[in-house]
Amino acid sequence: MYSYSDFDEAFVRARVAQFSQQVERRLDGSLTEDEFRPLRLMNGLYLQLHAYMLRVAIPYGSLSPRQMRQLAHIADTWDKGYGHFTTRQNIQFNWPKLPDVPAILSALADVQMHAIQTSGNCVRNVTADHFAGAAADEIADPRPYAELLRQWSTDHPEFQFLPRKFKIAITGSPNDRAVTKAHDIGLRMVRNAVGEPGFEVIVGGGLGRTPMIGVTVRDFLPEADLLPYVEAILSVYNTLGRRDNKYKARIKITVHETGKEAITEMIEARFAELRPQFGGADQKLLAEIRQAFAPPAFRNAPTDAYDAFYRADPVFRAWADTNLTRHRNDQYAIVTISLKAHGKTPGDATSEQMRLIADLAERYGHSDLRISHEQNVILPHVHKSDLPALHAQLVKAGLGTANVGLLSDIIACPGMDYCALATARSIPVAQELATHFEALKLEHEIGPLKIKISGCINACGHHHVGNIGILGLDRAGVENYQITLGGDGTEDAVIGEKTGPGFAYDEIVPAIERILRAYLDLRLEPAETFLQTFRRVGMEPFKAALYETERTQDAA
C-alpha cells in the first residue's frame, strides 16, 4: 500500500498542530461554536446527538494491520472500545471528548492516517472496489488511480469550497462493486476496441432527498487523461453549481438542470483547455504510486486440505459459500469478514476484534486489509490452505457469521441512536430483521438479498439502491418507515420504487416478512433471486402481499 512521503508527513502534522490550536481556542472561549464549526468540520469532527463524532478517512478502503491496531488503541483510549465502519469506507468514533481530539489526530498521524476532508464542501474520501488488486474479473487495480486522485484533491485550492460535498468512486472491474453510478463522479474501468484500459466516466449520481443515477459523459477515457478530465468536471461544477439552496447544490441537480448534452459539451471544452497544462507530471507520479501497489508474493502450495475440509465440515462449507469470493490466483480466495452477526450493530467492531483482524491479516493475509462500503472487513489475499484455521479463529471471536450477501448483511446508518440529522432509528430495525429471520431459518432459503436502511432522507444507508430499501421518517413525532423495492447498486444501477404508505416501527419487520414470503411464492426456482423476481413480475404482486392486512380490515 501507499506510504507517506516526507511532504505527506509534514502536511498532516501541520494540520494536526493547526487544529490543536483551534481546539484550545474553543476550550478557552476565544472561539464561539459558530466560529469553531467550519474549522472542526474541515478536520472531520461533527457534533452529534450525544457527543462529538470523529470521522477518520480510510483512503479507498485500504488499511494495514498496524493502522487497524492503532484504531483499536484509539477506541480504547479515547472512546468506548469500538468503532463504526461506514458506507464511505471510513471509520467513525462516536464518543470522543473535545480536549482529546488533538491527541487522537496525532495518534492517527503516527500511522499515516488523518480525518482531513471527511466533511465539508470538498472532495471527500475517494472510495474504491474493496476487492481491488485481487478480483478475478478485474481489468486493473484501481487503487493507484484512487491514490492519485486523493493526492490531487487534498487541500486543492480551487475545490475546497465547492457548492456542496463531492464524492468520487472508482472500480477496476466491469462488474461494479463500488456503486459508481450513485456518486458525483463514478469511474468504471473498461477496455476500448483495441483492448486498451480506460474509464467510463459517470457524472451526476447521488442519493439523498433527490436520488439520481449518474449519466455517462465519456464512454472511454484514456487513463492518461484521468486527472485533467476529473479537474474539468469539478471546474464546470464549481462554476455552475448552485449556492443559493443547499438542497439543490449537488452536481446531480446541476446535471439535471443543465442537461446531459450541454454539460458534456462544457466538460469537454474545459478539458480541452486543461489538458495541455498536464505535461506528464501526473503520469510520472502515477507510475511511482503503482510501485506501492505491487501484488504480494503469492505462495505456491497445495489446496487439497481446503477441498477436503469443505466437503467434510458443513459449518465451514456454509461460510465458504457466502463469505469467499474468487481470487485471480486460483490457489487463493478473497475473504469477507462479516461485521453483521445477528443482533449486532452493522459495521461496528470492538477494539478486541480489530486487533484480532490485524493479527489474522499478518498471519494469513499478506498484511492487507480492506473496508467495504457494505460495512464489512476484507482479507483480499488468503491461501486456501489457511482458510480452515482462519475460519476457526473468526468463529471463536464472533466474526464467523456466514451471511455475506444475504438478508442479515444489512447496510444501516447510525440513525437516531447517534445522528443529529436522523428522523428515525436504523440500527434496531436492522438488528430485529436479522434476529427475526434467523429465528425463522429462512435467510439461506431466501438467498442473495440487499437490504439497506437509512434513518433520514440523506440516505447514508443507501436505501435507494437496496433490493429492499427502508427509509425512516418522522410523521407527527412518530417513526414511520417507507419501503422501496427493486433498487440496485451494481453496473445495472436503478433507484428502488416506493411501495406506498409507510409502517410504524413495530410493523416494519412483519411488513418485510410479507414481502419475502411473497417472493418465495413468486419465484420460478430457488436460483431466481429476489431482484430477478421483482424485475420479472413488477411491483403489484408485492404490494398486494404487503398491504393485504389493511385491505382485509377495510373490507371488514
Side-chain angles (χ1 to χ4, degrees):
M1 62 186 295
Y2 177 79
S3 295
Y4 277 11
S5 65
D6 291 342
F7 174 86
D8 297 328
E9 181 75 24
F11 172 79
V12 171
R13 293 289 182 185
R15 283 291 294 264
V16 172
Q18 180 190 59
F19 188 58
S20 297
Q21 293 174 350
Q22 293 165 349
V23 169
E24 288 179 13
R25 292 165 64 199
R26 175 69 188 110
L27 291 171
D28 68 19
S30 301
L31 289 174
T32 66
E33 173 54 33
D34 286 344
E35 292 169 329
F36 183 58
R37 183 176 183 274
L39 303 175
R40 62 172 168 79
L41 289 176
M42 290 174 68
N43 292 278
L45 188 63
Y46 289 73
L47 188 57
Q48 298 285 65
L49 274 179
H50 312 294
Y52 283 103
M53 179 271 283
L54 183 66
R55 179 181 294 154
V56 177
I58 302 175
Y60 36 90
S62 288
L63 273 176
S64 70
R66 179 171 176 246
Q67 289 171 328
M68 183 68 96
R69 290 192 186 95
Q70 190 75 329
L71 296 176
H73 169 69
I74 290 168
D76 279 340
T77 307
W78 296 292
D79 208 88
K80 293 191 175 183
Y82 70 95
H84 178 73
F85 293 105
T86 78
T87 55
R88 293 291 305 153
Q89 296 179 310
N90 296 312
I91 187 171
Q92 294 181 176
F93 294 106
N94 289 311
W95 303 99
K97 293 180 173 61
L98 182 57
D100 294 332
V101 172
I104 297 173
L105 295 178
S106 181
L108 289 169
D110 289 342
V111 293
Q112 302 187 356
M113 297 184 76
H114 61 73
I116 299 166
Q117 292 185 203
T118 58
S119 179
N121 295 334
C122 55
V123 179
R124 300 287 187 89
N125 186 31
V126 177
T127 58
D129 181 357
H130 40 276
F131 296 160
D137 60 356
E138 190 172 78
I139 294 171
D141 189 340
R143 291 175 299 161
Y145 305 99
E147 175 60 28
L148 179 69
L149 290 166
R150 184 195 70 80
Q151 293 191 28
W152 164 82
S153 63
T154 300
D155 217 25
H156 193 298
E158 187 179 348
F159 304 135
Q160 285 302 292
F161 297 96
L162 293 166
R164 200 71 175 88
K165 58 188 174 182
F166 203 91
K167 300 176 181 179
I168 301 174
I170 183 169
T171 179
S173 165
N175 299 303
D176 187 1
R177 288 179 289 267
V179 203
T180 58
K181 291 188 176 182
H183 281 75
D184 298 297
I185 294 178
L187 301 166
R188 192 163 73 98
M189 186 160 279
V190 292
R191 292 189 186 276
N192 64 10
V194 295
E196 296 169 330
F199 294 98
E200 177 191 2
V201 183
I202 303 155
V203 173
L207 303 178
R209 66 177 60 225
T210 313
M212 294 184 182
I213 297 300
V215 300
T216 298
V217 295
R218 266 286 190 111
D219 292 316
F220 181 83
L221 180 75
E223 58 178 18
D225 292 340
L226 176 61
L227 214 52
Y229 202 84
V230 170
E231 182 159 330
I233 295 169
L234 273 155
S235 182
V236 169
Y237 167 57
N238 205 19
T239 303
L240 290 183
R242 295 180 60 171
R243 288 178 163 86
D244 63 321
N245 184 338
K246 74 175 184 177
Y247 301 118
K248 297 183 178 181
R250 296 292 293 270
I251 194 174
K252 61 187 176 183
I253 304 298
T254 307
V255 172
H256 177 73
E257 292 182 343
T258 308
K260 175 185 174 181
E261 193 172 313
I263 202 162
T264 301
E265 289 177 359
M266 293 178 191
I267 292 168
E268 292 291 341
R270 182 61 177 146
F271 171 68
E273 295 172 350
L274 288 171
R275 186 65 184 92
Q277 300 175 26
F278 285 74
D282 57 325
Q283 294 307 297
K284 181 181 177 183
L285 178 59
L286 179 61
E288 293 172 358
I289 290 171
R290 273 202 180 100
Q291 295 177 18
F293 294 97
F298 292 125
R299 196 167 90 240
N300 185 13
T303 61
D304 298 353
Y306 161 78
D307 296 331
F309 208 85
Y310 180 88
R311 291 190 297 269
D313 188 328
V315 174
F316 175 79
R317 183 165 61 249
W319 176 80
D321 287 344
T322 55
N323 294 43
L324 301 185
T325 303
R326 186 184 165 208
H327 196 281
R328 61 189 180 126
N329 182 323
D330 288 341
Q331 292 186 13
Y332 277 71
I334 301 169
V335 177
T336 299
I337 300 173
S338 173
L339 297 183
K340 317 285 181 63
H342 299 98
K344 300 297 184 181
T345 300
D348 275 11
T350 66
S351 57
E352 184 179 352
Q353 289 173 330
M354 291 185 212
R355 291 188 181 93
L356 174 68
I357 290 170
D359 292 345
L360 296 176
E362 285 182 337
R363 184 169 182 180
Y364 302 116
H366 295 275
S367 294
D368 197 350
L369 287 164
R370 311 288 172 77
I371 306 303
S372 75
H373 81 271
E374 295 182 323
Q375 300 176 288
N376 291 316
V377 181
I378 315 297
L379 297 178
H381 311 291
V382 179
H383 195 274
K384 288 181 178 178
S385 64
D386 291 327
L387 289 170
L390 171 66
H391 174 250
Q393 293 188 56
L394 290 173
V395 169
K396 187 176 179 181
L399 291 168
T401 309
N403 66 342
V404 172
L406 301 180
L407 183 151
S408 61
D409 186 15
I410 297 170
I411 288 179
C413 73
M416 204 185 286
D417 287 285
Y418 298 99
C419 182
L421 301 177
T423 49
R425 290 169 289 174
S426 300
I427 292 170
V429 175
Q431 292 170 325
E432 290 183 28
L433 280 169
T435 54
H436 179 75
F437 283 93
E438 169 68 6
L440 293 176
K441 301 302 178 187
L442 280 176
E443 185 170 30
H444 287 267
E445 183 179 349
I446 290 166
L449 182 67
K450 302 287 188 183
I451 296 181
K452 305 178 192 292
I453 308 173
S454 299
C456 79
I457 57 174
N458 290 303
C460 294
H462 293 189
H463 68 275
H464 294 296
V465 291
N467 303 161
I468 298 177
I470 302 173
L471 168 61
L473 298 169
D474 181 318
R475 300 294 191 205
V478 178
E479 290 169 303
N480 184 272
Y481 292 86
Q482 186 181 87
I483 298 173
T484 55
L485 300 180
D488 184 7
T490 69
E491 63 278 4
D492 300 317
V494 65
I495 301 298
E497 300 176 37
K498 295 178 185 177
T499 59
F503 297 86
Y505 176 83
D506 59 356
E507 296 173 334
I508 187 63
V509 172
I512 299 301
E513 182 178 346
R514 291 197 296 276
I515 290 170
L516 291 174
R517 288 195 181 279
Y519 154 65
L520 293 175
D521 291 338
L522 289 165
R523 68 183 181 184
L524 295 176
E525 57 180 349
E528 185 178 64
T529 66
F530 176 88
L531 187 58
Q532 290 169 338
T533 300
F534 180 84
R535 288 175 173 171
R536 178 174 57 82
V537 305
M539 175 66 82
E540 287 309 311
F542 290 100
K543 285 183 70 172
L546 182 58
Y547 297 106
E548 178 183 11
T549 303
E550 292 182 14
R551 289 170 180 164
T552 302
Q553 289 173 347
D554 289 345

